[in-house]
Amino acid sequence: MKSMTGYAKVQSTLSDRKVNIEIKTLNSKQLDLIVKIPTAYRAHELDIRAMLGRLERGKVEFFMSDENNNAAAASFNQELLVARFKALYPVADSLAAIDLDSRPALFNTLAAMNDIWNSADNSEISDADWAVLQADIERAIDLTDQFRKHEGDVLEKDFHIHVDLIEQMLQQIPPYETERIDTAKERLRRWLADPAVREVDPNRFEQELIYYLEKLDITEEKVRLQKHIDYFRQTMANEPSCGKKLGFVAQEMGREINTTGSKANHVEIQRLVVGMKDELEKIKEQLGNVL
């Protein structure tokens, strides 16, 4: 079993820079990719998205940033800055009488524009560097998957606790079930022994008694609930990506528990049913995090 919660951070060393790779994953009904990468790697965005598809499901946030090691990596486009400043200077000059900081503010604003700087970051990386980066992205995905597996193990242990409690309460029902039927039979006998009751057709009475006891019978519900419990455990143990299937099984468990409660007609069985519902709700709360 795996959780949809995961995290990994890897640093990749290329020929002229270091690249930081970070992956965060959260729960979602489908695969929801958010990819944020520098301009130099845009040509490989589809490749990156294809690799992230290995994570199958969840909200996946992929971040990549580089630390350029080339001292001459960035150059200043002086001509572009001067041209823009000259174009806007008359406006700033007319405002100078009102705001003495308008011209320095104009310069700072222009200097902060991305296209004023010619950076090597905007050039595509070489095939050799991409091969290295690709391997490190795969490693980050592997680490994220390992994180998910660890979180999934924690969830699985928690699910076993709640499923075991449901099974224990299910096994406590039979003594009360026998007591409930015996009580019903005794109630009918006392009613028939009342002198005020007219003579009853034995055949019709037997039919009514069978019908009444069948309405109280919860044998099928108990058997089905036990099978669902067993299947829930098998699915956890054998299928890594089982969140949706476990959700369906939990729904079936809830259906059998509810039917048992509607047929219970016994305070102790009702108490056990409430306990089973409580444990099942705890399972459902966490199923949304299971891959």
Side-chain angles (χ1 to χ4, degrees):
M1 178 189 290
K2 296 179 183 178
S3 168
M4 277 190 278
T5 302
Y7 179 78
K9 189 172 184 179
V10 169
Q11 188 174 75
S12 182
T13 302
L14 307 185
S15 59
D16 62 345
R17 72 194 74 183
K18 290 183 179 179
V19 179
N20 295 315
I21 302 165
E22 187 175 4
I23 301 177
K24 298 178 183 178
T25 65
L26 297 170
N27 59 309
S28 180
K29 291 183 178 180
Q30 61 277 326
L31 182 62
D32 180 14
L33 294 179
I34 299 174
V35 178
K36 296 182 179 180
I37 58 178
T39 305
Y41 313 101
R42 289 296 181 190
H44 299 286
E45 181 174 348
L46 292 179
D47 297 323
I48 293 172
R49 287 180 175 272
M51 286 187 281
L52 292 171
R54 284 175 47 204
L55 295 174
E56 299 181 52
R57 194 158 67 98
K59 181 180 179 181
V60 179
E61 299 180 359
F62 179 87
F63 303 98
M64 199 161 66
S65 60
D66 58 6
E67 303 171 4
N68 206 315
N69 295 326
N70 189 344
S75 61
F76 186 67
N77 191 333
Q78 183 174 345
E79 293 181 1
L80 181 59
L81 177 61
V82 170
R84 289 181 178 176
F85 190 83
K86 285 181 178 180
L88 295 174
Y89 181 81
V91 178
D93 192 47
S94 66
L95 295 175
I98 302 173
D99 182 3
L100 296 177
D101 293 331
S102 60
R103 281 170 288 186
L106 173 62
F107 179 84
N108 292 337
T109 300
L110 292 174
M113 292 181 176
N114 290 333
D115 58 351
I116 293 296
W117 300 89
N118 298 321
S119 174
D121 293 346
N122 294 327
S123 60
E124 294 185 6
I125 61 173
S126 66
D127 291 342
D129 279 345
W130 167 243
V132 174
L133 186 60
Q134 189 176 24
D136 287 328
I137 292 174
E138 292 285 4
R139 183 160 60 93
I141 294 173
D142 289 339
L143 291 173
T144 303
D145 197 54
Q146 291 174 21
F147 192 107
R148 285 177 148 194
K149 181 65 172 65
H150 176 267
E151 291 295 306
D153 290 342
V154 174
L155 285 175
E156 185 173 352
K157 290 178 182 178
D158 187 59
F159 287 155
H160 274 294
I161 292 173
H162 299 306
V163 170
D164 289 348
L165 288 172
I166 292 174
E167 186 176 47
Q168 290 172 19
M169 285 182 275
L170 175 62
Q171 292 171 351
Q172 293 174 35
I173 289 178
Y176 300 118
E177 187 179 10
T178 303
E179 176 186 324
R180 178 192 57 164
I181 294 175
D182 291 341
T183 301
K185 288 180 178 179
E186 182 61 30
R187 188 183 300 118
L188 286 172
R189 290 192 186 98
R190 288 199 305 268
W191 180 76
L192 291 172
D194 189 336
V197 177
R198 292 178 298 175
E199 185 177 347
V200 178
D201 182 358
N203 293 330
R204 180 61 184 272
F205 171 72
E206 184 178 351
Q207 292 175 2
E208 292 295 333
L209 179 61
I210 292 173
Y211 174 75
Y212 182 68
L213 294 180
E214 284 180 347
K215 286 185 67 176
L216 294 178
D217 185 42
I218 54 176
T219 302
E220 290 185 11
E221 286 76 11
K222 292 188 301 177
V223 171
R224 285 196 293 264
L225 179 55
Q226 183 62 59
K227 288 185 178 298
H228 293 326
I229 289 172
D230 295 339
Y231 188 50
F232 194 94
R233 289 174 176 147
Q234 293 170 10
T235 303
M236 285 194 296
N238 300 325
E239 301 184 26
S241 304
C242 57
K244 290 183 178 180
K245 182 177 288 188
L246 290 178
F248 298 144
V249 178
Q251 287 180 359
E252 294 302 315
M253 290 170 63
R255 184 174 288 109
E256 302 305 333
I257 293 172
N258 288 333
T259 306
T260 300
S262 66
K263 290 184 173 182
N265 197 27
H266 192 285
V267 64
E268 291 300 326
I269 295 179
Q270 289 285 9
R271 180 183 61 80
L272 293 171
V273 165
V274 170
M276 287 190 285
K277 286 183 178 181
D278 183 47
E279 296 303 323
L280 186 61
E281 282 302 311
K282 293 175 183 177
I283 291 174
K284 288 181 177 179
E285 287 175 3
Q286 294 295 334
L287 277 178
N289 295 322
V290 178
L291 182 64

Tab-separated table of all heavy atoms in Angstrom, residues 2-3 5-10 21-25 48 51-56 60 62 133-151 291:
chain	number	residue	atom	x	y	z
A	2	LYS	N	0.405	2.268	-0.720
A	2	LYS	CA	1.138	3.530	-0.769
A	2	LYS	C	0.202	4.688	-0.440
A	2	LYS	O	-0.986	4.655	-0.769
A	2	LYS	CB	1.732	3.758	-2.163
A	2	LYS	CG	2.783	2.755	-2.588
A	2	LYS	CD	3.289	3.057	-3.981
A	2	LYS	CE	4.297	2.011	-4.453
A	2	LYS	NZ	4.741	2.295	-5.836
A	3	SER	N	0.779	5.690	0.192
A	3	SER	CA	0.039	6.926	0.435
A	3	SER	C	0.231	7.853	-0.756
A	3	SER	O	1.156	7.694	-1.551
A	3	SER	CB	0.551	7.593	1.713
A	3	SER	OG	0.068	8.911	1.828
A	5	THR	N	0.759	10.986	-0.166
A	5	THR	CA	1.612	12.023	0.400
A	5	THR	C	3.071	11.627	0.220
A	5	THR	O	3.492	10.552	0.652
A	5	THR	CB	1.319	12.212	1.899
A	5	THR	OG1	-0.060	12.545	2.064
A	5	THR	CG2	2.181	13.315	2.480
A	6	GLY	N	3.848	12.478	-0.421
A	6	GLY	CA	5.265	12.170	-0.657
A	6	GLY	C	6.103	13.429	-0.796
A	6	GLY	O	5.576	14.519	-1.044
A	7	TYR	N	7.409	13.249	-0.645
A	7	TYR	CA	8.325	14.392	-0.780
A	7	TYR	C	9.726	13.872	-1.110
A	7	TYR	O	10.136	12.810	-0.644
A	7	TYR	CB	8.396	15.204	0.512
A	7	TYR	CG	9.354	16.373	0.436
A	7	TYR	CD1	8.988	17.547	-0.208
A	7	TYR	CD2	10.640	16.278	0.972
A	7	TYR	CE1	9.863	18.617	-0.305
A	7	TYR	CE2	11.520	17.340	0.878
A	7	TYR	CZ	11.132	18.507	0.240
A	7	TYR	OH	12.008	19.559	0.138
A	8	ALA	N	10.435	14.637	-1.931
A	8	ALA	CA	11.834	14.311	-2.240
A	8	ALA	C	12.543	15.568	-2.733
A	8	ALA	O	11.928	16.437	-3.367
A	8	ALA	CB	11.919	13.212	-3.295
A	9	LYS	N	13.837	15.644	-2.431
A	9	LYS	CA	14.663	16.753	-2.915
A	9	LYS	C	16.014	16.196	-3.338
A	9	LYS	O	16.666	15.472	-2.585
A	9	LYS	CB	14.835	17.818	-1.830
A	9	LYS	CG	15.506	19.094	-2.332
A	9	LYS	CD	15.471	20.196	-1.279
A	9	LYS	CE	16.053	21.498	-1.829
A	9	LYS	NZ	15.993	22.592	-0.826
A	10	VAL	N	16.423	16.539	-4.557
A	10	VAL	CA	17.672	16.028	-5.127
A	10	VAL	C	18.409	17.178	-5.790
A	10	VAL	O	17.793	18.067	-6.386
A	10	VAL	CB	17.379	14.920	-6.174
A	10	VAL	CG1	18.631	14.563	-6.956
A	10	VAL	CG2	16.813	13.681	-5.484
A	21	ILE	N	16.124	19.883	-7.547
A	21	ILE	CA	14.881	19.230	-7.958
A	21	ILE	C	14.078	18.913	-6.703
A	21	ILE	O	14.586	18.307	-5.759
A	21	ILE	CB	15.172	17.927	-8.722
A	21	ILE	CG1	16.040	18.208	-9.947
A	21	ILE	CG2	13.877	17.231	-9.123
A	21	ILE	CD1	16.671	16.972	-10.535
A	22	GLU	N	12.810	19.330	-6.694
A	22	GLU	CA	11.959	19.100	-5.525
A	22	GLU	C	10.585	18.604	-5.985
A	22	GLU	O	10.000	19.153	-6.920
A	22	GLU	CB	11.809	20.392	-4.728
A	22	GLU	CG	11.084	20.223	-3.405
A	22	GLU	CD	11.059	21.520	-2.585
A	22	GLU	OE1	11.543	22.553	-3.091
A	22	GLU	OE2	10.562	21.471	-1.445
A	23	ILE	N	10.100	17.560	-5.317
A	23	ILE	CA	8.785	16.996	-5.634
A	23	ILE	C	7.963	16.908	-4.362
A	23	ILE	O	8.423	16.396	-3.341
A	23	ILE	CB	8.912	15.584	-6.259
A	23	ILE	CG1	9.738	15.627	-7.544
A	23	ILE	CG2	7.528	15.002	-6.554
A	23	ILE	CD1	9.968	14.262	-8.166
A	24	LYS	N	6.738	17.420	-4.425
A	24	LYS	CA	5.778	17.298	-3.323
A	24	LYS	C	4.500	16.678	-3.877
A	24	LYS	O	4.030	17.068	-4.938
A	24	LYS	CB	5.451	18.665	-2.721
A	24	LYS	CG	6.631	19.394	-2.101
A	24	LYS	CD	6.186	20.756	-1.585
A	24	LYS	CE	7.371	21.542	-1.017
A	24	LYS	NZ	6.960	22.890	-0.541
A	25	THR	N	3.923	15.729	-3.155
A	25	THR	CA	2.675	15.111	-3.608
A	25	THR	C	1.642	15.097	-2.482
A	25	THR	O	1.984	14.897	-1.314
A	25	THR	CB	2.903	13.664	-4.099
A	25	THR	OG1	3.336	12.847	-2.992
A	25	THR	CG2	3.962	13.618	-5.185
A	48	ILE	N	9.520	15.590	-18.826
A	48	ILE	CA	9.424	15.595	-17.363
A	48	ILE	C	8.031	15.159	-16.922
A	48	ILE	O	7.872	14.357	-15.996
A	48	ILE	CB	9.761	16.997	-16.811
A	48	ILE	CG1	11.240	17.319	-17.067
A	48	ILE	CG2	9.461	17.082	-15.316
A	48	ILE	CD1	11.641	18.750	-16.737
A	51	MET	N	7.655	11.468	-17.230
A	51	MET	CA	8.323	10.754	-16.138
A	51	MET	C	7.499	10.812	-14.857
A	51	MET	O	7.377	9.822	-14.125
A	51	MET	CB	9.721	11.347	-15.899
A	51	MET	CG	10.737	10.988	-16.964
A	51	MET	SD	12.418	11.535	-16.526
A	51	MET	CE	12.314	13.273	-16.931
A	52	LEU	N	6.895	11.974	-14.582
A	52	LEU	CA	6.096	12.132	-13.365
A	52	LEU	C	4.838	11.276	-13.400
A	52	LEU	O	4.226	11.017	-12.363
A	52	LEU	CB	5.722	13.602	-13.178
A	52	LEU	CG	6.877	14.555	-12.856
A	52	LEU	CD1	6.407	16.009	-12.908
A	52	LEU	CD2	7.472	14.246	-11.486
A	53	GLY	N	4.453	10.811	-14.585
A	53	GLY	CA	3.303	9.929	-14.704
A	53	GLY	C	3.455	8.636	-13.916
A	53	GLY	O	2.457	7.977	-13.605
A	54	ARG	N	4.686	8.282	-13.583
A	54	ARG	CA	4.937	7.084	-12.762
A	54	ARG	C	4.273	7.184	-11.390
A	54	ARG	O	4.006	6.158	-10.746
A	54	ARG	CB	6.437	6.887	-12.558
A	54	ARG	CG	7.174	6.332	-13.770
A	54	ARG	CD	8.671	6.287	-13.493
A	54	ARG	NE	8.957	5.699	-12.198
A	54	ARG	CZ	10.071	5.919	-11.498
A	54	ARG	NH1	11.000	6.719	-11.976
A	54	ARG	NH2	10.265	5.343	-10.331
A	55	LEU	N	4.016	8.404	-10.943
A	55	LEU	CA	3.427	8.591	-9.613
A	55	LEU	C	1.922	8.288	-9.604
A	55	LEU	O	1.288	8.331	-8.544
A	55	LEU	CB	3.698	10.012	-9.119
A	55	LEU	CG	5.190	10.315	-8.892
A	55	LEU	CD1	5.404	11.776	-8.553
A	55	LEU	CD2	5.758	9.428	-7.790
A	56	GLU	N	1.353	8.026	-10.776
A	56	GLU	CA	0.001	7.472	-10.951
A	56	GLU	C	-1.141	8.409	-10.588
A	56	GLU	O	-1.982	8.724	-11.406
A	56	GLU	CB	-0.160	6.169	-10.148
A	56	GLU	CG	0.789	5.067	-10.570
A	56	GLU	CD	0.558	3.811	-9.765
A	56	GLU	OE1	-0.604	3.362	-9.700
A	56	GLU	OE2	1.523	3.277	-9.194
A	60	VAL	N	0.667	16.501	-7.807
A	60	VAL	CA	2.133	16.425	-7.844
A	60	VAL	C	2.694	17.801	-8.206
A	60	VAL	O	2.399	18.336	-9.269
A	60	VAL	CB	2.611	15.380	-8.873
A	60	VAL	CG1	4.138	15.334	-8.916
A	60	VAL	CG2	2.044	14.007	-8.525
A	62	PHE	N	6.059	19.780	-8.984
A	62	PHE	CA	7.455	19.575	-9.383
A	62	PHE	C	8.127	20.941	-9.556
A	62	PHE	O	7.679	21.759	-10.350
A	62	PHE	CB	7.522	18.783	-10.692
A	62	PHE	CG	8.916	18.533	-11.190
A	62	PHE	CD1	9.639	17.428	-10.766
A	62	PHE	CD2	9.515	19.412	-12.088
A	62	PHE	CE1	10.925	17.195	-11.228
A	62	PHE	CE2	10.801	19.191	-12.542
A	62	PHE	CZ	11.513	18.078	-12.118
A	133	LEU	N	20.556	15.159	-15.899
A	133	LEU	CA	19.381	15.704	-15.220
A	133	LEU	C	18.221	14.716	-15.232
A	133	LEU	O	17.515	14.551	-14.230
A	133	LEU	CB	18.971	17.014	-15.893
A	133	LEU	CG	17.835	17.802	-15.239
A	133	LEU	CD1	18.201	18.182	-13.816
A	133	LEU	CD2	17.514	19.046	-16.056
A	134	GLN	N	18.058	14.053	-16.356
A	134	GLN	CA	16.981	13.068	-16.482
A	134	GLN	C	17.137	11.945	-15.456
A	134	GLN	O	16.160	11.528	-14.819
A	134	GLN	CB	16.972	12.504	-17.898
A	134	GLN	CG	15.773	11.629	-18.229
A	134	GLN	CD	15.790	11.185	-19.680
A	134	GLN	OE1	16.846	11.144	-20.320
A	134	GLN	NE2	14.628	10.857	-20.220
A	135	ALA	N	18.361	11.468	-15.294
A	135	ALA	CA	18.615	10.407	-14.320
A	135	ALA	C	18.320	10.877	-12.900
A	135	ALA	O	17.774	10.126	-12.078
A	135	ALA	CB	20.063	9.942	-14.432
A	136	ASP	N	18.650	12.134	-12.606
A	136	ASP	CA	18.410	12.656	-11.260
A	136	ASP	C	16.928	12.925	-11.010
A	136	ASP	O	16.448	12.801	-9.877
A	136	ASP	CB	19.228	13.935	-11.037
A	136	ASP	CG	20.714	13.651	-10.875
A	136	ASP	OD1	21.045	12.574	-10.336
A	136	ASP	OD2	21.541	14.476	-11.275
A	137	ILE	N	16.196	13.291	-12.055
A	137	ILE	CA	14.746	13.433	-11.908
A	137	ILE	C	14.123	12.078	-11.598
A	137	ILE	O	13.244	11.960	-10.726
A	137	ILE	CB	14.123	14.042	-13.187
A	137	ILE	CG1	14.566	15.505	-13.350
A	137	ILE	CG2	12.597	13.966	-13.119
A	137	ILE	CD1	14.121	16.129	-14.659
A	138	GLU	N	14.586	11.045	-12.300
A	138	GLU	CA	14.090	9.692	-12.027
A	138	GLU	C	14.405	9.288	-10.585
A	138	GLU	O	13.593	8.645	-9.915
A	138	GLU	CB	14.719	8.693	-13.005
A	138	GLU	CG	14.277	8.860	-14.454
A	138	GLU	CD	12.880	8.353	-14.711
A	138	GLU	OE1	12.210	7.925	-13.747
A	138	GLU	OE2	12.439	8.373	-15.884
A	139	ARG	N	15.599	9.689	-10.123
A	139	ARG	CA	15.977	9.367	-8.732
A	139	ARG	C	15.054	10.091	-7.748
A	139	ARG	O	14.651	9.522	-6.730
A	139	ARG	CB	17.445	9.765	-8.499
A	139	ARG	CG	17.957	9.416	-7.107
A	139	ARG	CD	19.482	9.361	-7.099
A	139	ARG	NE	20.079	10.637	-7.483
A	139	ARG	CZ	20.431	11.581	-6.597
A	139	ARG	NH1	20.248	11.367	-5.298
A	139	ARG	NH2	20.992	12.700	-6.991
A	140	ALA	N	14.718	11.345	-8.044
A	140	ALA	CA	13.797	12.087	-7.183
A	140	ALA	C	12.424	11.428	-7.155
A	140	ALA	O	11.774	11.347	-6.100
A	140	ALA	CB	13.689	13.533	-7.665
A	141	ILE	N	11.985	10.920	-8.294
A	141	ILE	CA	10.696	10.225	-8.358
A	141	ILE	C	10.750	8.940	-7.537
A	141	ILE	O	9.803	8.598	-6.824
A	141	ILE	CB	10.316	9.941	-9.821
A	141	ILE	CG1	10.062	11.249	-10.571
A	141	ILE	CG2	9.077	9.039	-9.894
A	141	ILE	CD1	9.854	11.084	-12.064
A	142	ASP	N	11.879	8.222	-7.633
A	142	ASP	CA	12.049	6.995	-6.835
A	142	ASP	C	11.985	7.302	-5.345
A	142	ASP	O	11.352	6.566	-4.568
A	142	ASP	CB	13.393	6.332	-7.160
A	142	ASP	CG	13.409	5.698	-8.549
A	142	ASP	OD1	12.317	5.425	-9.088
A	142	ASP	OD2	14.505	5.499	-9.094
A	143	LEU	N	12.634	8.388	-4.926
A	143	LEU	CA	12.625	8.770	-3.509
A	143	LEU	C	11.221	9.165	-3.060
A	143	LEU	O	10.805	8.849	-1.940
A	143	LEU	CB	13.605	9.925	-3.268
A	143	LEU	CG	15.095	9.603	-3.413
A	143	LEU	CD1	15.937	10.867	-3.313
A	143	LEU	CD2	15.533	8.597	-2.347
A	144	THR	N	10.490	9.847	-3.937
A	144	THR	CA	9.108	10.209	-3.622
A	144	THR	C	8.271	8.951	-3.451
A	144	THR	O	7.437	8.851	-2.534
A	144	THR	CB	8.506	11.081	-4.738
A	144	THR	OG1	9.316	12.239	-4.930
A	144	THR	CG2	7.093	11.517	-4.382
A	145	ASP	N	8.493	7.981	-4.326
A	145	ASP	CA	7.754	6.726	-4.253
A	145	ASP	C	8.078	5.977	-2.962
A	145	ASP	O	7.190	5.381	-2.342
A	145	ASP	CB	8.093	5.862	-5.472
A	145	ASP	CG	7.087	4.744	-5.688
A	145	ASP	OD1	5.886	5.039	-5.775
A	145	ASP	OD2	7.511	3.571	-5.762
A	146	GLN	N	9.345	6.011	-2.549
A	146	GLN	CA	9.732	5.379	-1.289
A	146	GLN	C	9.061	6.056	-0.100
A	146	GLN	O	8.624	5.396	0.853
A	146	GLN	CB	11.253	5.417	-1.137
A	146	GLN	CG	12.003	4.537	-2.113
A	146	GLN	CD	13.513	4.715	-2.017
A	146	GLN	OE1	14.029	5.178	-1.002
A	146	GLN	NE2	14.225	4.363	-3.071
A	147	PHE	N	8.996	7.381	-0.158
A	147	PHE	CA	8.319	8.152	0.895
A	147	PHE	C	6.855	7.729	0.973
A	147	PHE	O	6.306	7.508	2.064
A	147	PHE	CB	8.428	9.647	0.582
A	147	PHE	CG	8.029	10.550	1.719
A	147	PHE	CD1	8.981	11.253	2.433
A	147	PHE	CD2	6.690	10.721	2.062
A	147	PHE	CE1	8.618	12.093	3.475
A	147	PHE	CE2	6.314	11.555	3.093
A	147	PHE	CZ	7.280	12.251	3.802
A	148	ARG	N	6.230	7.603	-0.194
A	148	ARG	CA	4.827	7.194	-0.247
A	148	ARG	C	4.637	5.788	0.326
A	148	ARG	O	3.647	5.512	1.008
A	148	ARG	CB	4.328	7.226	-1.690
A	148	ARG	CG	4.057	8.624	-2.239
A	148	ARG	CD	3.645	8.556	-3.696
A	148	ARG	NE	2.726	9.614	-4.054
A	148	ARG	CZ	2.009	9.645	-5.169
A	148	ARG	NH1	2.113	8.658	-6.043
A	148	ARG	NH2	1.186	10.631	-5.417
A	149	LYS	N	5.581	4.911	0.017
A	149	LYS	CA	5.493	3.540	0.530
A	149	LYS	C	5.578	3.535	2.054
A	149	LYS	O	4.830	2.813	2.732
A	149	LYS	CB	6.625	2.700	-0.061
A	149	LYS	CG	6.621	1.236	0.380
A	149	LYS	CD	5.379	0.515	-0.123
A	149	LYS	CE	5.466	-0.991	0.139
A	149	LYS	NZ	5.488	-1.310	1.587
A	150	HIS	N	6.480	4.340	2.603
A	150	HIS	CA	6.620	4.421	4.058
A	150	HIS	C	5.332	4.940	4.693
A	150	HIS	O	4.842	4.394	5.691
A	150	HIS	CB	7.794	5.331	4.421
A	150	HIS	CG	7.953	5.545	5.898
A	150	HIS	ND1	7.377	6.620	6.548
A	150	HIS	CD2	8.597	4.818	6.850
A	150	HIS	CE1	7.668	6.551	7.837
A	150	HIS	NE2	8.400	5.467	8.042
A	151	GLU	N	4.773	6.006	4.110
A	151	GLU	CA	3.521	6.555	4.635
A	151	GLU	C	2.393	5.544	4.484
A	151	GLU	O	1.506	5.453	5.342
A	151	GLU	CB	3.170	7.850	3.895
A	151	GLU	CG	4.106	9.014	4.195
A	151	GLU	CD	4.039	9.455	5.636
A	151	GLU	OE1	2.933	9.737	6.112
A	151	GLU	OE2	5.099	9.492	6.290
A	291	LEU	N	-3.101	5.748	-2.266
A	291	LEU	CA	-2.924	5.762	-3.729
A	291	LEU	C	-3.803	4.707	-4.392
A	291	LEU	O	-3.844	3.572	-3.940
A	291	LEU	CB	-1.454	5.496	-4.057
A	291	LEU	CG	-1.086	5.517	-5.540
A	291	LEU	CD1	-1.306	6.896	-6.136
A	291	LEU	CD2	0.362	5.083	-5.729
